[in-house]
Amino acid sequence: MPQTHPAIDHPAPATQAPTVPPPAAELSLEERLTLVNTAMTARLDEAAVAYEVNTAHIETEPVDLADVVIVPLTPTSPTAPQPTPPATRVAIVLDRAHQLMDTAGWCAGALTDEQGAVCLLGAIRQAARGDRGLEADAAAVLLDTIRRRFGDVESVPAFNDAWANGRASIRMLHEAASSADARGI
């Protein structure tokens, strides 16, 4: 007869209630914004690296934003206040030269080209209407304005001819007109 073993009573395993961590303190708005800012900064940094890697093989030339961003120098909105015209003689000549170059066009290497476009000095000469003293004063104010913005520039024609287009020249005429008006010249 086979021997039977008495059943060994094993104690039932003790069941423990799952431990629940204490509720985390709710984050303030400032703390949540800081966490989101940190996460977004990391994602933007990763995207910037990915962009650099994906476009590293593309050859590009640097872009001068002054040549890309074009804003009208006069307000186009009918409700915008209209600028007051300059009140001094030199400022008036520079403002006329600015308008002339803006409408007739810009050229380099000549006072006026076959199509009627003008360089800086050509625009001033036409705007001065034969008054050589006024022309010289306007050119001097323009050269001073150019030098304040760009440093040591040899002359107005040298500045004009150094550019591939007339945007900088038109902008300098406008600034020189404002400067002459503000200085009462």
Side-chain angles (χ1 to χ4, degrees):
M1 216 175 215
Q3 274 188 345
T4 58
H5 293 287
I8 302 176
D9 276 337
H10 290 290
T15 58
Q16 295 179 346
T19 58
V20 177
E26 192 169 316
L27 297 176
S28 70
L29 176 62
E30 194 69 31
E31 292 167 329
R32 287 183 289 168
L33 287 174
T34 302
L35 287 173
V36 168
N37 185 30
T38 304
M40 289 304 295
T41 300
R43 291 177 71 184
L44 287 171
D45 288 343
E46 288 175 20
V49 169
Y51 175 80
E52 291 296 323
V53 168
N54 291 337
T55 60
H57 67 283
I58 301 172
E59 291 184 30
T60 59
E61 292 181 23
V63 175
D64 181 10
L65 290 181
D67 292 338
V68 176
V69 179
I70 300 173
V71 182
L73 295 176
T74 57
T76 56
S77 170
T79 59
Q82 296 300 315
T84 57
T88 63
R89 292 180 45 156
V90 172
I92 290 169
V93 167
L94 289 165
D95 188 54
R96 279 189 207 142
H98 169 258
Q99 292 172 7
L100 177 65
M101 185 177 282
D102 200 26
T103 56
W106 169 86
C107 72
L111 291 174
T112 306
D113 70 4
E114 299 82 33
Q115 289 80 30
V118 291
C119 74
L120 284 169
L121 284 182
I124 290 173
R125 181 162 288 168
Q126 287 184 29
R129 297 179 180 154
D131 185 339
R132 295 293 181 160
L134 190 54
E135 180 184 327
D137 291 343
V141 170
L142 177 59
L143 183 60
D144 181 54
T145 303
I146 291 169
R147 285 181 174 161
R148 272 191 271 126
R149 177 69 92 90
F150 292 96
D152 189 28
V153 174
E154 182 183 333
S155 64
V156 172
F159 176 81
N160 183 79
D161 295 349
W163 300 94
N165 61 49
R167 290 187 189 114
S169 296
I170 291 172
R171 194 169 46 244
M172 286 296 98
L173 280 170
H174 179 71
E175 286 184 25
S178 297
S179 174
D181 194 40
R183 293 166 40 191
I185 301 174

